[in-house]
Amino acid sequence: MSKVGIIMGSTSDLPVMQEAIDILAGFDIEVEVDIVSAHRTPEKLFDYGKNAHERGFKVIIAGAGGAAHLPGMIASLSPLPVIGVPVKSRNSIDGWDSVLSILQMPGGVPVATVALDGAKNAGILAAQIIGTADKCVLDKIITYKEGLKQKVIEGAKNLRNHN
C-alpha cells in the first residue's frame, strides 16, 4: 500500500492540513502525520527528508505558514515529490509570504504548490501521483471526479427547475 507523509510546522496548521488527511482517507491511502519544524527541529527535518522514501512514503505534503521553509527544505533533502501547502497563519502577511516562499523555489528543487490553505487539493494531487502506478487509486480518482461533474450537472438542473 502506498503511503503519504503529511507534515506541518506546528499544531496550529492542523485545521488546514486536516483536509488533506480526510481526502486521502477517502481514497484509502495510508497517511502518516507529523510535526516537523524547519526552524525549531532542524535535525528532525533532515532525518525526515533524507529517510522518507525508505519508510515507504511515495509523496510528501508539507504545510507551513509565515516564512514557510518546510516544503522547500524537505524537497531539498528528499527524492520524493513534495507538495507545499501555504498556510495563512497569525504571523503571516495575509498569506503571501507563505505562498511566495513555497512557490519561488530555485531550479533543481521543485515543490508543487497549491493555493493558500489548499490542503484538499494537495491530497487530491498526491492521490493522482500515486494513481499513476496504482490502478485501484486511479479508479477512485476517476469516480471522485465523476462525482464532481454530477454535482455540477445536478446544480444546473436544480437552477433551471427553480426558475
Short mmCIF file of all heavy atoms in Angstrom, two decimals, residues 15-85:
data_model
loop_
_atom_site.label_atom_id
_atom_site.label_comp_id
_atom_site.label_asym_id
_atom_site.label_seq_id
_atom_site.Cartn_x
_atom_site.Cartn_y
_atom_site.Cartn_z
N PRO A 15 -5.73 22.37 11.49
CA PRO A 15 -7.07 22.58 10.91
C PRO A 15 -7.06 22.68 9.39
O PRO A 15 -7.97 22.19 8.72
CB PRO A 15 -7.55 23.87 11.57
CG PRO A 15 -6.83 23.92 12.88
CD PRO A 15 -5.46 23.33 12.58
N VAL A 16 -6.03 23.30 8.83
CA VAL A 16 -5.91 23.40 7.36
C VAL A 16 -5.51 22.04 6.80
O VAL A 16 -6.12 21.54 5.84
CB VAL A 16 -4.89 24.48 6.95
CG1 VAL A 16 -4.56 24.39 5.47
CG2 VAL A 16 -5.41 25.85 7.31
N MET A 17 -4.50 21.41 7.37
CA MET A 17 -3.96 20.17 6.83
C MET A 17 -4.92 18.99 6.99
O MET A 17 -4.78 17.98 6.28
CB MET A 17 -2.62 19.86 7.49
CG MET A 17 -1.56 20.95 7.25
SD MET A 17 -1.28 21.32 5.51
CE MET A 17 -0.41 19.83 5.02
N GLN A 18 -5.90 19.10 7.87
CA GLN A 18 -6.88 18.04 8.06
C GLN A 18 -7.61 17.70 6.77
O GLN A 18 -7.99 16.56 6.54
CB GLN A 18 -7.88 18.44 9.16
CG GLN A 18 -8.82 17.32 9.56
CD GLN A 18 -8.11 16.14 10.23
OE1 GLN A 18 -7.30 16.34 11.13
NE2 GLN A 18 -8.40 14.94 9.79
N GLU A 19 -7.78 18.69 5.90
CA GLU A 19 -8.47 18.43 4.63
C GLU A 19 -7.68 17.45 3.76
O GLU A 19 -8.29 16.63 3.06
CB GLU A 19 -8.71 19.74 3.88
CG GLU A 19 -9.75 20.62 4.55
CD GLU A 19 -10.14 21.80 3.70
OE1 GLU A 19 -9.93 21.77 2.46
OE2 GLU A 19 -10.68 22.76 4.27
N ALA A 20 -6.37 17.51 3.78
CA ALA A 20 -5.55 16.54 3.04
C ALA A 20 -5.68 15.16 3.67
O ALA A 20 -5.81 14.15 2.95
CB ALA A 20 -4.08 16.98 3.00
N ILE A 21 -5.65 15.11 4.98
CA ILE A 21 -5.80 13.84 5.69
C ILE A 21 -7.13 13.19 5.33
O ILE A 21 -7.19 12.00 5.00
CB ILE A 21 -5.69 14.06 7.22
CG1 ILE A 21 -4.30 14.59 7.58
CG2 ILE A 21 -6.04 12.79 7.99
CD1 ILE A 21 -4.20 15.19 8.98
N ASP A 22 -8.19 13.98 5.36
CA ASP A 22 -9.54 13.46 5.09
C ASP A 22 -9.72 12.98 3.66
O ASP A 22 -10.28 11.91 3.43
CB ASP A 22 -10.59 14.53 5.42
CG ASP A 22 -10.65 14.88 6.89
OD1 ASP A 22 -10.13 14.11 7.73
OD2 ASP A 22 -11.23 15.94 7.22
N ILE A 23 -9.23 13.76 2.68
CA ILE A 23 -9.42 13.36 1.28
C ILE A 23 -8.63 12.09 0.98
O ILE A 23 -9.10 11.21 0.26
CB ILE A 23 -9.10 14.51 0.29
CG1 ILE A 23 -9.68 14.23 -1.10
CG2 ILE A 23 -7.61 14.77 0.18
CD1 ILE A 23 -11.12 14.51 -1.25
N LEU A 24 -7.42 11.98 1.53
CA LEU A 24 -6.62 10.77 1.30
C LEU A 24 -7.27 9.56 1.96
O LEU A 24 -7.25 8.46 1.39
CB LEU A 24 -5.19 10.97 1.78
CG LEU A 24 -4.37 11.91 0.88
CD1 LEU A 24 -3.11 12.37 1.59
CD2 LEU A 24 -4.05 11.25 -0.44
N ALA A 25 -7.87 9.74 3.11
CA ALA A 25 -8.60 8.64 3.77
C ALA A 25 -9.74 8.18 2.87
O ALA A 25 -10.01 6.98 2.76
CB ALA A 25 -9.12 9.08 5.13
N GLY A 26 -10.39 9.12 2.19
CA GLY A 26 -11.46 8.78 1.26
C GLY A 26 -11.00 7.96 0.07
O GLY A 26 -11.78 7.23 -0.53
N PHE A 27 -9.72 8.08 -0.28
CA PHE A 27 -9.13 7.29 -1.36
C PHE A 27 -8.45 6.03 -0.82
O PHE A 27 -7.78 5.32 -1.56
CB PHE A 27 -8.12 8.11 -2.16
CG PHE A 27 -8.71 9.23 -2.97
CD1 PHE A 27 -8.24 10.53 -2.84
CD2 PHE A 27 -9.73 8.98 -3.88
CE1 PHE A 27 -8.77 11.56 -3.60
CE2 PHE A 27 -10.27 10.00 -4.65
CZ PHE A 27 -9.80 11.30 -4.50
N ASP A 28 -8.61 5.76 0.47
CA ASP A 28 -7.99 4.60 1.14
C ASP A 28 -6.47 4.59 1.00
O ASP A 28 -5.85 3.55 0.80
CB ASP A 28 -8.57 3.28 0.62
CG ASP A 28 -10.05 3.14 0.95
OD1 ASP A 28 -10.45 3.53 2.05
OD2 ASP A 28 -10.80 2.65 0.08
N ILE A 29 -5.88 5.77 1.13
CA ILE A 29 -4.42 5.89 1.08
C ILE A 29 -3.94 6.11 2.51
O ILE A 29 -4.42 7.00 3.22
CB ILE A 29 -4.00 7.06 0.17
CG1 ILE A 29 -4.40 6.75 -1.28
CG2 ILE A 29 -2.49 7.31 0.27
CD1 ILE A 29 -4.20 7.89 -2.25
N GLU A 30 -2.96 5.31 2.90
CA GLU A 30 -2.40 5.43 4.24
C GLU A 30 -1.66 6.75 4.40
O GLU A 30 -0.94 7.19 3.51
CB GLU A 30 -1.43 4.27 4.51
CG GLU A 30 -0.89 4.24 5.91
CD GLU A 30 0.10 3.11 6.16
OE1 GLU A 30 0.19 2.20 5.31
OE2 GLU A 30 0.76 3.15 7.20
N VAL A 31 -1.88 7.39 5.54
CA VAL A 31 -1.28 8.69 5.83
C VAL A 31 -0.56 8.61 7.16
O VAL A 31 -1.05 7.99 8.11
CB VAL A 31 -2.38 9.78 5.90
CG1 VAL A 31 -1.83 11.09 6.37
CG2 VAL A 31 -3.07 9.95 4.56
N GLU A 32 0.60 9.23 7.21
CA GLU A 32 1.30 9.41 8.48
C GLU A 32 1.50 10.90 8.67
O GLU A 32 2.05 11.58 7.81
CB GLU A 32 2.64 8.68 8.47
CG GLU A 32 3.35 8.73 9.81
CD GLU A 32 4.66 7.97 9.78
OE1 GLU A 32 4.61 6.74 9.53
OE2 GLU A 32 5.70 8.61 9.98
N VAL A 33 1.01 11.41 9.80
CA VAL A 33 1.03 12.85 10.08
C VAL A 33 2.05 13.14 11.17
O VAL A 33 2.15 12.40 12.15
CB VAL A 33 -0.37 13.33 10.52
CG1 VAL A 33 -0.38 14.83 10.77
CG2 VAL A 33 -1.43 12.95 9.48
N ASP A 34 2.82 14.24 10.99
CA ASP A 34 3.82 14.60 11.99
C ASP A 34 4.04 16.11 11.98
O ASP A 34 3.71 16.79 11.01
CB ASP A 34 5.13 13.87 11.68
CG ASP A 34 6.03 13.72 12.91
OD1 ASP A 34 5.73 14.28 13.98
OD2 ASP A 34 7.05 13.01 12.77
N ILE A 35 4.59 16.59 13.07
CA ILE A 35 5.03 17.98 13.18
C ILE A 35 6.54 17.99 12.96
O ILE A 35 7.28 17.29 13.66
CB ILE A 35 4.71 18.57 14.57
CG1 ILE A 35 3.23 18.43 14.92
CG2 ILE A 35 5.18 20.03 14.66
CD1 ILE A 35 2.29 19.16 14.02
N VAL A 36 6.98 18.75 11.97
CA VAL A 36 8.40 18.88 11.65
C VAL A 36 8.65 20.36 11.41
O VAL A 36 8.26 20.89 10.37
CB VAL A 36 8.78 18.06 10.40
CG1 VAL A 36 10.27 18.21 10.10
CG2 VAL A 36 8.40 16.59 10.57
N SER A 37 9.26 21.02 12.34
CA SER A 37 9.52 22.45 12.20
C SER A 37 10.89 22.68 11.57
O SER A 37 11.91 22.20 12.08
CB SER A 37 9.45 23.14 13.56
OG SER A 37 9.88 24.48 13.44
N ALA A 38 10.89 23.43 10.47
CA ALA A 38 12.16 23.74 9.81
C ALA A 38 13.07 24.56 10.71
O ALA A 38 14.30 24.43 10.63
CB ALA A 38 11.89 24.51 8.51
N HIS A 39 12.49 25.37 11.59
CA HIS A 39 13.29 26.28 12.40
C HIS A 39 13.52 25.79 13.83
O HIS A 39 14.54 26.11 14.43
CB HIS A 39 12.61 27.66 12.44
CG HIS A 39 12.40 28.22 11.08
ND1 HIS A 39 11.15 28.32 10.50
CD2 HIS A 39 13.28 28.65 10.15
CE1 HIS A 39 11.27 28.82 9.29
NE2 HIS A 39 12.55 29.03 9.05
N ARG A 40 12.58 25.01 14.36
CA ARG A 40 12.70 24.58 15.76
C ARG A 40 13.22 23.16 15.91
O ARG A 40 13.73 22.80 16.96
CB ARG A 40 11.35 24.75 16.46
CG ARG A 40 10.95 26.22 16.59
CD ARG A 40 9.58 26.36 17.17
NE ARG A 40 8.57 25.83 16.26
CZ ARG A 40 7.63 26.56 15.67
NH1 ARG A 40 7.54 27.84 15.91
NH2 ARG A 40 6.77 26.01 14.86
N THR A 41 13.07 22.33 14.86
CA THR A 41 13.57 20.94 14.92
C THR A 41 14.31 20.60 13.62
O THR A 41 13.93 19.69 12.89
CB THR A 41 12.42 19.93 15.15
OG1 THR A 41 11.47 20.04 14.07
CG2 THR A 41 11.72 20.17 16.48
N PRO A 42 15.39 21.31 13.33
CA PRO A 42 16.09 21.06 12.06
C PRO A 42 16.66 19.66 11.94
O PRO A 42 16.70 19.10 10.83
CB PRO A 42 17.19 22.13 12.03
CG PRO A 42 17.37 22.56 13.45
CD PRO A 42 16.02 22.38 14.11
N GLU A 43 17.07 19.05 13.05
CA GLU A 43 17.61 17.69 12.99
C GLU A 43 16.51 16.72 12.55
O GLU A 43 16.75 15.81 11.74
CB GLU A 43 18.18 17.25 14.33
CG GLU A 43 19.36 18.06 14.81
CD GLU A 43 18.96 19.33 15.59
OE1 GLU A 43 17.75 19.62 15.76
OE2 GLU A 43 19.88 20.05 16.02
N LYS A 44 15.31 16.90 13.09
CA LYS A 44 14.18 16.05 12.71
C LYS A 44 13.84 16.26 11.24
O LYS A 44 13.56 15.31 10.51
CB LYS A 44 12.97 16.36 13.60
CG LYS A 44 11.77 15.49 13.33
CD LYS A 44 10.65 15.78 14.32
CE LYS A 44 9.48 14.84 14.08
NZ LYS A 44 8.37 15.10 15.03
N LEU A 45 13.89 17.50 10.78
CA LEU A 45 13.63 17.81 9.37
C LEU A 45 14.62 17.08 8.47
O LEU A 45 14.22 16.45 7.49
CB LEU A 45 13.72 19.32 9.14
CG LEU A 45 13.59 19.77 7.68
CD1 LEU A 45 12.68 20.98 7.59
CD2 LEU A 45 14.93 20.06 7.08
N PHE A 46 15.90 17.13 8.81
CA PHE A 46 16.92 16.45 8.00
C PHE A 46 16.70 14.95 7.98
O PHE A 46 16.77 14.32 6.92
CB PHE A 46 18.34 16.79 8.51
CG PHE A 46 18.90 18.02 7.88
CD1 PHE A 46 18.47 19.28 8.27
CD2 PHE A 46 19.87 17.92 6.90
CE1 PHE A 46 18.98 20.42 7.68
CE2 PHE A 46 20.39 19.06 6.30
CZ PHE A 46 19.95 20.32 6.70
N ASP A 47 16.41 14.37 9.12
CA ASP A 47 16.16 12.92 9.19
C ASP A 47 14.93 12.55 8.37
O ASP A 47 14.96 11.59 7.59
CB ASP A 47 15.99 12.49 10.65
CG ASP A 47 15.73 11.00 10.78
OD1 ASP A 47 16.60 10.22 10.37
OD2 ASP A 47 14.63 10.63 11.25
N TYR A 48 13.86 13.30 8.53
CA TYR A 48 12.62 13.02 7.80
C TYR A 48 12.86 13.11 6.29
O TYR A 48 12.50 12.21 5.53
CB TYR A 48 11.52 14.00 8.23
CG TYR A 48 10.15 13.63 7.73
CD1 TYR A 48 9.27 12.93 8.55
CD2 TYR A 48 9.73 13.96 6.45
CE1 TYR A 48 8.01 12.57 8.10
CE2 TYR A 48 8.48 13.61 5.99
CZ TYR A 48 7.62 12.92 6.82
OH TYR A 48 6.37 12.56 6.37
N GLY A 49 13.45 14.20 5.85
CA GLY A 49 13.68 14.41 4.42
C GLY A 49 14.58 13.37 3.79
O GLY A 49 14.34 12.89 2.69
N LYS A 50 15.63 12.99 4.49
CA LYS A 50 16.58 12.03 3.93
C LYS A 50 16.07 10.59 3.95
O LYS A 50 16.52 9.77 3.16
CB LYS A 50 17.91 12.11 4.69
CG LYS A 50 18.70 13.35 4.36
CD LYS A 50 20.03 13.34 5.08
CE LYS A 50 20.87 14.52 4.69
NZ LYS A 50 21.85 14.21 3.67
N ASN A 51 15.13 10.28 4.84
CA ASN A 51 14.71 8.88 5.01
C ASN A 51 13.27 8.57 4.65
O ASN A 51 12.86 7.41 4.71
CB ASN A 51 14.98 8.45 6.47
CG ASN A 51 16.45 8.52 6.79
OD1 ASN A 51 17.28 7.96 6.08
ND2 ASN A 51 16.80 9.25 7.84
N ALA A 52 12.50 9.54 4.26
CA ALA A 52 11.07 9.31 3.99
C ALA A 52 10.85 8.23 2.93
O ALA A 52 9.96 7.39 3.07
CB ALA A 52 10.39 10.62 3.57
N HIS A 53 11.65 8.23 1.88
CA HIS A 53 11.48 7.23 0.81
C HIS A 53 11.77 5.82 1.31
O HIS A 53 11.18 4.86 0.84
CB HIS A 53 12.33 7.58 -0.41
CG HIS A 53 13.80 7.53 -0.17
ND1 HIS A 53 14.47 8.48 0.57
CD2 HIS A 53 14.74 6.63 -0.56
CE1 HIS A 53 15.75 8.18 0.61
NE2 HIS A 53 15.95 7.06 -0.08
N GLU A 54 12.67 5.71 2.30
CA GLU A 54 12.99 4.39 2.85
C GLU A 54 11.90 3.90 3.82
O GLU A 54 11.86 2.72 4.15
CB GLU A 54 14.34 4.44 3.56
CG GLU A 54 15.49 4.67 2.59
CD GLU A 54 16.83 4.87 3.27
OE1 GLU A 54 16.88 4.86 4.51
OE2 GLU A 54 17.82 5.05 2.54
N ARG A 55 11.04 4.80 4.24
CA ARG A 55 9.96 4.45 5.16
C ARG A 55 8.66 4.14 4.42
O ARG A 55 7.62 3.97 5.04
CB ARG A 55 9.75 5.59 6.15
CG ARG A 55 10.98 5.77 7.06
CD ARG A 55 10.85 6.93 8.02
NE ARG A 55 9.60 6.90 8.74
CZ ARG A 55 8.94 8.01 9.10
NH1 ARG A 55 9.40 9.20 8.81
NH2 ARG A 55 7.81 7.91 9.76
N GLY A 56 8.72 4.07 3.09
CA GLY A 56 7.56 3.67 2.31
C GLY A 56 6.70 4.81 1.79
O GLY A 56 5.68 4.57 1.15
N PHE A 57 7.09 6.04 2.03
CA PHE A 57 6.31 7.16 1.51
C PHE A 57 6.49 7.25 0.00
O PHE A 57 7.56 6.95 -0.53
CB PHE A 57 6.75 8.48 2.15
CG PHE A 57 6.45 8.57 3.62
CD1 PHE A 57 7.48 8.62 4.54
CD2 PHE A 57 5.15 8.61 4.09
CE1 PHE A 57 7.23 8.71 5.90
CE2 PHE A 57 4.88 8.70 5.45
CZ PHE A 57 5.91 8.76 6.35
N LYS A 58 5.45 7.68 -0.68
CA LYS A 58 5.51 7.92 -2.12
C LYS A 58 5.45 9.41 -2.44
O LYS A 58 5.93 9.84 -3.49
CB LYS A 58 4.36 7.19 -2.84
CG LYS A 58 4.36 5.69 -2.64
CD LYS A 58 5.62 5.05 -3.18
CE LYS A 58 5.59 3.55 -2.98
NZ LYS A 58 6.91 2.96 -3.06
N VAL A 59 4.80 10.17 -1.57
CA VAL A 59 4.63 11.61 -1.73
C VAL A 59 4.67 12.24 -0.34
O VAL A 59 4.23 11.62 0.63
CB VAL A 59 3.27 11.95 -2.39
CG1 VAL A 59 3.10 13.45 -2.58
CG2 VAL A 59 3.08 11.23 -3.72
N ILE A 60 5.17 13.48 -0.27
CA ILE A 60 5.13 14.23 0.98
C ILE A 60 4.32 15.50 0.75
O ILE A 60 4.55 16.22 -0.24
CB ILE A 60 6.55 14.61 1.45
CG1 ILE A 60 7.39 13.37 1.71
CG2 ILE A 60 6.48 15.49 2.71
CD1 ILE A 60 8.87 13.66 1.95
N ILE A 61 3.39 15.75 1.64
CA ILE A 61 2.66 17.01 1.66
C ILE A 61 3.17 17.79 2.86
O ILE A 61 3.14 17.29 3.99
CB ILE A 61 1.14 16.80 1.76
CG1 ILE A 61 0.61 16.00 0.57
CG2 ILE A 61 0.42 18.14 1.89
CD1 ILE A 61 -0.85 15.61 0.68
N ALA A 62 3.67 19.00 2.62
CA ALA A 62 4.23 19.81 3.69
C ALA A 62 3.50 21.14 3.76
O ALA A 62 3.49 21.90 2.79
CB ALA A 62 5.73 20.04 3.46
N GLY A 63 2.88 21.41 4.90
CA GLY A 63 2.17 22.67 5.10
C GLY A 63 2.94 23.57 6.04
O GLY A 63 3.50 23.11 7.03
N ALA A 64 2.99 24.86 5.70
CA ALA A 64 3.72 25.81 6.54
C ALA A 64 3.19 27.22 6.33
O ALA A 64 2.76 27.59 5.24
CB ALA A 64 5.21 25.75 6.23
N GLY A 65 3.24 27.99 7.39
CA GLY A 65 2.84 29.39 7.33
C GLY A 65 4.03 30.29 7.56
O GLY A 65 5.16 29.83 7.81
N GLY A 66 3.79 31.59 7.47
CA GLY A 66 4.86 32.56 7.68
C GLY A 66 5.96 32.39 6.65
O GLY A 66 5.70 32.36 5.45
N ALA A 67 7.19 32.25 7.10
CA ALA A 67 8.34 32.11 6.19
C ALA A 67 8.26 30.83 5.36
O ALA A 67 8.84 30.76 4.29
CB ALA A 67 9.64 32.13 6.99
N ALA A 68 7.56 29.83 5.86
CA ALA A 68 7.22 28.61 5.11
C ALA A 68 8.41 27.91 4.47
O ALA A 68 8.39 27.56 3.30
CB ALA A 68 6.15 28.92 4.06
N HIS A 69 9.45 27.66 5.23
CA HIS A 69 10.62 26.98 4.70
C HIS A 69 10.49 25.46 4.64
O HIS A 69 11.26 24.80 3.95
CB HIS A 69 11.87 27.33 5.53
CG HIS A 69 12.29 28.75 5.38
ND1 HIS A 69 12.41 29.61 6.43
CD2 HIS A 69 12.59 29.47 4.27
CE1 HIS A 69 12.79 30.79 5.99
NE2 HIS A 69 12.89 30.73 4.69
N LEU A 70 9.53 24.89 5.36
CA LEU A 70 9.42 23.43 5.48
C LEU A 70 9.31 22.72 4.13
O LEU A 70 10.09 21.80 3.86
CB LEU A 70 8.26 23.05 6.40
CG LEU A 70 8.02 21.57 6.62
CD1 LEU A 70 9.23 20.90 7.27
CD2 LEU A 70 6.77 21.36 7.48
N PRO A 71 8.38 23.09 3.24
CA PRO A 71 8.28 22.33 1.98
C PRO A 71 9.56 22.36 1.16
O PRO A 71 10.01 21.33 0.65
CB PRO A 71 7.13 23.02 1.24
CG PRO A 71 6.31 23.65 2.32
CD PRO A 71 7.31 24.08 3.36
N GLY A 72 10.18 23.52 1.02
CA GLY A 72 11.41 23.63 0.23
C GLY A 72 12.58 22.88 0.83
O GLY A 72 13.35 22.25 0.12
N MET A 73 12.71 22.94 2.14
CA MET A 73 13.80 22.22 2.79
C MET A 73 13.62 20.71 2.65
O MET A 73 14.58 19.99 2.39
CB MET A 73 13.91 22.62 4.26
CG MET A 73 14.48 24.01 4.47
SD MET A 73 16.13 24.22 3.75
CE MET A 73 17.07 23.02 4.69
N ILE A 74 12.37 20.23 2.81
CA ILE A 74 12.11 18.79 2.62
C ILE A 74 12.43 18.41 1.18
O ILE A 74 13.06 17.38 0.92
CB ILE A 74 10.65 18.44 3.01
CG1 ILE A 74 10.49 18.46 4.53
CG2 ILE A 74 10.22 17.11 2.43
CD1 ILE A 74 11.25 17.38 5.29
N ALA A 75 12.02 19.24 0.23
CA ALA A 75 12.29 18.95 -1.19
C ALA A 75 13.78 18.93 -1.48
O ALA A 75 14.23 18.18 -2.35
CB ALA A 75 11.59 19.97 -2.08
N SER A 76 14.55 19.73 -0.76
CA SER A 76 16.00 19.75 -0.99
C SER A 76 16.67 18.47 -0.50
O SER A 76 17.74 18.12 -0.97
CB SER A 76 16.64 20.97 -0.32
OG SER A 76 16.74 20.80 1.08
N LEU A 77 16.02 17.77 0.41
CA LEU A 77 16.61 16.58 1.02
C LEU A 77 16.05 15.26 0.49
O LEU A 77 16.70 14.23 0.59
CB LEU A 77 16.37 16.61 2.54
CG LEU A 77 17.05 17.76 3.30
CD1 LEU A 77 16.42 17.93 4.67
CD2 LEU A 77 18.53 17.50 3.40
N SER A 78 14.85 15.29 -0.05
CA SER A 78 14.15 14.05 -0.42
C SER A 78 14.07 13.86 -1.93
O SER A 78 13.87 14.81 -2.67
CB SER A 78 12.73 14.08 0.16
OG SER A 78 12.04 12.89 -0.19
N PRO A 79 14.16 12.60 -2.38
CA PRO A 79 13.95 12.31 -3.79
C PRO A 79 12.47 12.20 -4.16
O PRO A 79 12.14 12.02 -5.32
CB PRO A 79 14.66 10.95 -3.97
CG PRO A 79 14.50 10.29 -2.64
CD PRO A 79 14.60 11.39 -1.63
N LEU A 80 11.59 12.32 -3.18
CA LEU A 80 10.15 12.17 -3.40
C LEU A 80 9.52 13.47 -3.89
O LEU A 80 10.03 14.55 -3.61
CB LEU A 80 9.46 11.74 -2.10
CG LEU A 80 9.89 10.41 -1.51
CD1 LEU A 80 9.20 10.19 -0.17
CD2 LEU A 80 9.59 9.27 -2.47
N PRO A 81 8.38 13.37 -4.58
CA PRO A 81 7.64 14.59 -4.91
C PRO A 81 7.10 15.22 -3.63
O PRO A 81 6.61 14.53 -2.74
CB PRO A 81 6.49 14.11 -5.81
CG PRO A 81 6.45 12.64 -5.73
CD PRO A 81 7.72 12.16 -5.11
N VAL A 82 7.24 16.55 -3.56
CA VAL A 82 6.77 17.31 -2.40
C VAL A 82 5.70 18.29 -2.87
O VAL A 82 5.90 19.01 -3.86
CB VAL A 82 7.92 18.07 -1.72
CG1 VAL A 82 7.40 18.94 -0.58
CG2 VAL A 82 8.98 17.09 -1.20
N ILE A 83 4.60 18.30 -2.15
CA ILE A 83 3.52 19.23 -2.42
C ILE A 83 3.46 20.20 -1.24
O ILE A 83 3.29 19.79 -0.10
CB ILE A 83 2.17 18.51 -2.58
CG1 ILE A 83 2.26 17.46 -3.69
CG2 ILE A 83 1.05 19.52 -2.86
CD1 ILE A 83 1.09 16.50 -3.74
N GLY A 84 3.62 21.49 -1.52
CA GLY A 84 3.60 22.50 -0.48
C GLY A 84 2.22 23.12 -0.33
O GLY A 84 1.57 23.45 -1.32
N VAL A 85 1.81 23.28 0.91
CA VAL A 85 0.55 23.95 1.23
C VAL A 85 0.88 25.21 2.01
O VAL A 85 1.28 25.15 3.17
CB VAL A 85 -0.39 23.05 2.08
CG1 VAL A 85 -1.68 23.80 2.41
CG2 VAL A 85 -0.68 21.73 1.37
#
